[in-house]
Amino acid sequence: MLNWRISSGRRLIFWATFVIAGSASAESLPPDQLEFFEACIRPVLVEQCYRCHNSSGRAEGGLAVDQRVALLQGGDGGVIVIPGQPAASRLLAILRHQIDGLKMPQQAGKLDQKVVADFERWIAMGAPDPRDQAPTAGELANATSWDAIFQKRQQWWSFQPV
């Protein structure tokens, strides 16, 4: 089993990175990073994680992933994302089902390897995230309802007539 304790030196580096990354907004993110987050990371978080890990009343394990600050803060088990350090980020081990008792996402089982690779790439690029505040309970309900997800997907370019 992997040991995920963070030494005091690493903790200092994390908090310095957290302050720097925590100050990013949608306007300050490079367009390619914003597009990557919106296309590859946010949809997975919405579909697979928000239901159990949100800021509007249900943060299992003390973890909310519906805003940048909460995601970088981590949960009861500690920090799960260390921007720029995918190998040290526990989220990847959780998504790969490498930690006993933490097999996420629960409802979908193991994620496709490409999705996990996208998360690894996202963390390596510094975990850019434009979400400055948590969604309201209504926004969260709309974002996680299957009808809303299906309607959003119907708007994708690949479903549009040529």
Side-chain angles (χ1 to χ4, degrees), residues 140-155:
L140 186 66
N142 285 337
T144 58
S145 77
W146 291 113
D147 290 334
I149 292 168
F150 182 69
Q151 287 175 354
K152 286 178 188 174
R153 285 186 174 175
Q154 286 181 316
Q155 302 306 312

Side-chain angles (χ1 to χ4, degrees), residues 4-151:
W4 291 101
R5 299 200 112 162
I6 298 175
S7 69
S8 59
R10 283 183 131 175
R11 197 173 295 127
L12 177 63
I13 292 170
F14 164 75
W15 285 112
T17 306
F18 177 81
V19 170
I20 292 167
S23 63
S25 66
E27 297 83 32
S28 67
L29 289 177
D32 60 323
Q33 290 184 357
L34 180 61
E35 183 179 336
F36 184 80
F37 177 81
E38 295 297 348
C40 301
I41 303 303
R42 187 193 300 248
V44 177
L45 293 174
V46 170
E47 293 176 22
Q48 304 297 334
C49 308
Y50 278 18
R51 191 171 310 208
C52 298
H53 300 285
N54 64 70
S55 302
S56 295
R58 187 167 180 198
E60 289 186 12
L63 177 65
V65 298
D66 55 2
Q67 63 173 313
R68 178 183 61 246
V69 173
L71 177 64
L72 293 176
Q73 182 179 349
D76 296 343
V79 175
I80 64 165
V81 173
I82 301 175
Q85 299 182 37
S89 295
R90 210 166 57 118
L91 178 61
L92 294 175
I94 293 168
L95 295 177
R96 291 177 177 138
H97 293 195
Q98 295 173 332
I99 300 176
D100 290 337
L102 291 176
K103 309 254 187 264
M104 302 293 158
Q106 290 179 341
Q107 57 270 39
K110 216 170 187 181
L111 293 174
D112 186 82
Q113 289 181 348
K114 186 206 177 305
V115 173
V116 177
D118 286 343
F119 272 86
E120 185 171 8
R121 179 177 167 204
W122 173 66
I123 294 169
M125 68 172 68
D129 185 344
R131 301 169 304 155
D132 290 332
Q133 52 189 327
T136 65
E139 290 169 338
L140 186 66
N142 285 337
T144 58
S145 77
W146 291 113
D147 290 334
I149 292 168
F150 182 69
Q151 287 175 354

